[in-house]
Each structure stands twice: as C-alpha cells, then as structure tokens.
Amino acid sequence: MRAAEIRAAGGSPVVADRPVPEPGVGEVAVSVTAAPITPLDLLCASGTSYFGAPETPYVPGVQGVGVLTRPTPTEAAGTAVWFATTAGMRPGDGSMAEHVVVAPDDLVVLPPGADHALVAALGLSAVAAWMCLTWKGNLTPGETVLVLGAGGVVGQSAVQLARVAGAGHVVACARSAAALERARRLGADSVVRLTEDDDVDSLARRLGEVPVDLVIDPVSGIPAAAALRALRPGGRLVNLGSAAGDECPVSSAVLRGKSLHIHGYTNNELDPGRRREALLTVVRHAMTGALTVDYERVPLRDAGDAWTRPGRIVLVP
C-alpha cells in the first residue's frame, strides 16, 4: 500500500510503499478514504510536542475516515467509520495511508450519506469547538459568544456551532479580511480584525463594544487577555490552543473584579463514549448544512508537498 511516512522528526513525510497492516487481537482493519493534516499531526511530527519525540519511521495522522475492510461482530465490511489513532503520540501508525488498523473504541460508525472528506476536515476540530461551547463553556441560549481565531477550522466551526447551540450574538475575530468575511457568511453577527500592532488595552476596547458571556479561545496571548476584559461579570473563557502565544497576561483585578472563569480544554480528556456522541452531533449538523468548513482535497501521493500548506488539507486516495 501507499503511505506517508515520517522518517525523521521535523521533516515532511515521504510517500512510500509499505505492507498492508494486519489487525491483531482487539484491532479492526479500515480502508482509508480521507485523512486530514491537522496542527496536532504537525506538532507530533516536529518532535517538540509534550508527547516527546516520536519513534520513526511512522505514518502520521491522528484521525481519518474510511470503511471497514472486514466484517466485525457488529458491523459489515464496507461500513463507513470515523476513527482516531495515537500516531506521533505513542508508537504506531496513523491515517495517512491506504489502510490502517485501529482499536474498536476508536471507531465511530457514520450515518449513511455522510461526506467522508467533510467529516475528515471537521473531525476533532469541530468536536473541540462543540465541547468548548456546551460542555466546558455551558452556553445558555441567548448569550453572546466571542470566537478568537475564527479563521481556523476550530474557529469556523465554533462560529456556526454557537448559532446551532442557541447563541444570541456571535462575534468573530481573525487577522485577515477574507477570514472575517467568511465568518460573516457562516453566521457571525459582528467581526473584529486582529492586527500585529494590537496591545491588550486597545484590543479590549474594540472587543468590549459588545459585552460577551463566553469566549472560545484557540489562540491565547494578547487576544485572550483582551477578551477577558470584554467579558461580562461571571463570564467564561475556554482555552484550547496557543496560536498567538503560549502565555496570556491575565490581570488579577480583572479576574476577581468580574468573578471570571477560565477553563482549559483538550480532546484527550474525552472518553470514547463522549467523543462518539460529540462527533456524531458534528456530523449531523454537517449533513443538515448547518456546519461546514473550507478545506482542500489533495491526493495521498502529494502528502509531502501539502504537509505545511495553509488551511485544512484532506488527503484522499
């Protein structure tokens, strides 16, 4: 089979021939139809993640979509599934190949008619957005949601899913005019452009034009510090990334004066049942047209060239 192979930490994958993996005890064989290149894949392959340097060579890809190659005790061969792997985090191979073996707990059977490439593009990014809004963020219908980093897949998903979850007003923040225009098309009521010259005070004044109940924060840094100042008393911020900086200057007076709540989120804290429920919720909204995301299909053979390309890339056979 053909597979993308990380041969040294920090390098781009090389597409090569590999033996088709045989499922062992407690494993299921999947023929891959769509595999996204995600920030987590890049981080793991870099060798600088908190998981440590990966054992090489390995096939990257922490998630994907495919069909069961062989029947299981509960499902027929050809059943469409989403799946997760620990590629780059623990020894083993991931989704960027024609075939993969996974644990049954890491499979989610997809509804008939689900678009494999779109589900792969959304995947755990949309799951994170949904869980930050509902589980960690406790969004109440009618509240105002501020989405930082609205240009990324998490941000695009959060803008749409906030509306689905009943937000009364959605504010989107991003660096590019194109991302803000897209956010408006996806349902944002208002937008705020982030710039390289922003400081906490000036950005807080712009964000504070619409008092906010919940901030979805995949960026941290100065935007998160400014967003905290835009929160109403008792407001919440859920952080799930650090695209704008690993550290966020937080004022104790702001936290205490407004009794604010800051939460951290990672998909790794989801058990298989909760992850399955969230993934199927995301898929249902995608199938109704309430949720989509910009992505580019790229043949698996071109994985190396697409590895660091901007935007969400989905590798297909």
Side-chain angles (χ1 to χ4, degrees):
M1 69 168 187
R2 302 292 281 170
E5 189 176 79
I6 296 292
R7 296 179 175 176
S12 297
V14 176
V15 177
D17 289 318
R18 277 185 158 222
V20 175
E22 283 293 323
V25 176
E27 292 182 321
V28 177
V30 176
S31 177
V32 181
T33 56
I37 300 175
T38 71
L40 181 56
D41 294 312
L42 298 177
L43 177 63
C44 289
S46 74
T48 62
S49 80
Y50 43 82
F51 299 107
E55 293 185 12
T56 55
Y58 80 98
V59 176
V62 297
Q63 58 184 303
V65 176
V67 296
L68 295 179
T69 307
R70 306 173 188 178
T72 70
T74 58
E75 303 295 339
T79 298
V81 295
W82 173 91
F83 62 89
T85 84
T86 58
M89 295 175 275
R90 292 203 289 260
D93 293 323
S95 62
M96 297 182 198
E98 293 177 327
H99 299 276
V100 67
V101 294
V102 297
D105 278 351
D106 289 328
L107 290 177
V108 177
V109 174
L110 295 176
D115 182 325
H116 289 202
L118 177 57
V119 171
L122 290 165
L124 290 173
S125 295
V127 164
W130 177 251
M131 297 306 284
C132 286
L133 287 161
T134 59
W135 181 44
K136 281 295 178 82
N138 292 310
L139 177 62
T140 298
E143 288 188 320
T144 295
V145 176
L146 169 62
V147 179
L148 300 176
V153 176
V154 170
Q156 292 176 54
S157 300
V159 167
Q160 298 166 84
L161 291 171
R163 185 67 69 207
V164 167
H169 191 100
V170 179
V171 183
C173 298
R175 293 195 180 277
S176 75
L180 294 179
E181 177 56 33
R182 178 176 57 206
R184 286 192 182 276
R185 295 198 308 269
L186 295 177
D189 298 287
S190 55
V191 299
V192 176
R193 188 166 185 178
L194 306 176
T195 72
E196 295 291 341
D197 298 328
D198 281 330
D199 57 44
V200 174
D201 290 335
S202 63
L203 181 55
R205 284 193 292 271
R206 304 208 313 276
L207 295 178
E209 293 179 5
V210 179
V212 173
D213 299 290
L214 172 63
V215 176
I216 304 301
D217 170 32
V219 302
S220 190
I222 287 175
L228 286 169
R229 299 192 184 189
L231 281 168
R232 301 180 194 269
R236 295 92 67 201
L237 180 146
V238 184
N239 173 265
L240 68 158
S242 55
D246 189 55
E247 296 184 357
C248 168
V250 178
S251 164
S252 174
V254 170
L255 287 178
R256 292 180 292 110
K258 293 186 177 184
S259 297
L260 301 181
H261 304 268
I262 300 177
H263 304 276
Y265 175 83
T266 169
N267 281 323
N268 288 337
E269 64 184 305
L270 301 180
D271 61 45
R274 179 165 275 166
R275 183 178 61 189
R276 179 179 295 107
E277 180 182 356
L279 191 280
L280 289 176
T281 297
V282 164
V283 172
R284 285 194 294 271
H285 289 311
M287 293 181 72
T288 65
L291 176 64
T292 189
V293 69
D294 281 358
Y295 68 94
E296 179 186 356
R297 297 172 187 249
V298 173
L300 175 62
R301 64 177 180 271
D302 296 330
D305 292 337
W307 184 243
T308 56
R309 193 178 300 171
R312 177 54 49 92
I313 303 297
V314 176
L315 301 176
V316 295

